[in-house]
Amino acid sequence: MKNLLFLIGFLWMLPAQAQEINWITMNEALEAQKKEPKKIFMDVYTNWCGPCKMLDKNTFHNPDVVKYVNDNFYAVKFNAEGTEEIKYNDYTYTNPNYNPDRKGRNSQHFFANALKVTGYPSIVFFDEEGNLITPVTGYKTPQQLEIYLKMVREDDYKTLTSTEAWQTYEESFVSTFKD
């Protein structure tokens, strides 16, 4: 009887565990692209950023977001004030001014600076060859993020070359993600 209850409890927990984005590092994503080309979806965050934590809790745990990101992108989590060493376009990016004793804000990682990240959180998209597409700054609900995910996945961003084109695209977009 105990084994049966354990099995039922374990099976009940599986869907909750499946609601996670498969986060990897930027170096891992770039390496994976060599074997299987896929766009990169990067969450650029900092440890002190409240909206970053809300994005992680509310948006990145939404079942529709999780499934869409896992199915269509390499998902990268990148601390913009961290110490990770990133090899990108024949250059190694670091954060030499990082101070481990500092509380709160720290120095910005050179990679975040190279991507022109100006605020947190930011979502940065890269194409199948690792080329920067665009950063999108600010907290997004699942429905607000959906338009960017699908626009990038379908390469629609290539035809949106004006404010008017973006407005038309945005007005005609029909969201399918649930809360």
Side-chain angles (χ1 to χ4, degrees):
M1 184 67 171
K2 286 182 187 177
N3 289 342
L4 180 61
L5 289 174
F6 175 77
L7 181 62
I8 291 170
F10 177 76
L11 292 175
W12 183 75
M13 293 291 289
L14 281 179
Q17 292 174 341
Q19 300 300 316
E20 295 286 330
I21 291 177
N22 300 322
W23 299 109
I24 59 177
T25 68
M26 185 62 173
N27 292 329
E28 291 168 336
L30 293 169
E31 196 59 36
Q33 281 188 323
K34 294 176 185 175
K35 296 175 188 139
E36 183 184 344
K38 207 191 252 193
K39 290 182 174 77
I40 296 172
F41 166 91
M42 176 187 274
D43 171 32
V44 182
Y45 72 97
T46 65
N47 293 331
W48 51 263
C49 169
C52 298
K53 292 173 180 153
M54 288 175 44
L55 185 69
D56 193 45
K57 180 182 175 196
N58 300 332
T59 302
F60 294 157
H61 283 85
N62 174 281
D64 293 320
V65 172
V66 170
K67 180 167 179 25
Y68 199 85
V69 169
N70 285 341
D71 288 350
N72 296 291
F73 296 90
Y74 291 116
V76 172
K77 203 142 196 46
F78 173 63
N79 183 346
E81 295 180 354
T83 59
E84 179 182 359
E85 188 175 281
I86 296 178
K87 293 174 176 43
Y88 180 75
N89 286 347
D90 300 322
Y91 187 81
T92 300
Y93 292 89
T94 62
N95 189 354
N97 298 317
Y98 175 80
N99 180 349
D101 298 324
R102 189 169 184 177
K103 303 285 186 228
R105 294 177 188 244
N106 217 305
S107 67
Q108 187 180 48
H109 196 288
F110 284 172
F111 191 58
N113 186 270
L115 298 175
K116 302 196 181 337
V117 170
T118 58
Y120 309 110
S122 286
I123 305 297
V124 181
F125 292 97
F126 299 83
D127 70 15
E128 293 86 351
E129 295 171 1
N131 300 309
L132 176 66
I133 296 173
T134 190
V136 178
T137 303
Y139 173 82
K140 303 287 182 250
T141 64
Q143 294 76 20
Q144 290 169 328
L145 182 59
E146 179 183 9
I147 191 170
Y148 294 102
L149 289 170
K150 292 181 176 177
M151 175 187 65
V152 169
R153 170 66 180 95
E154 300 301 321
D155 290 331
D156 292 339
Y157 68 92
K158 293 178 179 180
T159 62
L160 301 175
T161 57
S162 69
T163 302
E164 294 79 22
W166 167 250
Q167 287 172 340
T168 301
Y169 185 83
E170 192 175 27
E171 289 167 4
S172 65
F173 184 79
V174 178
S175 176
T176 60
F177 285 10
K178 306 286 184 247
D179 282 331

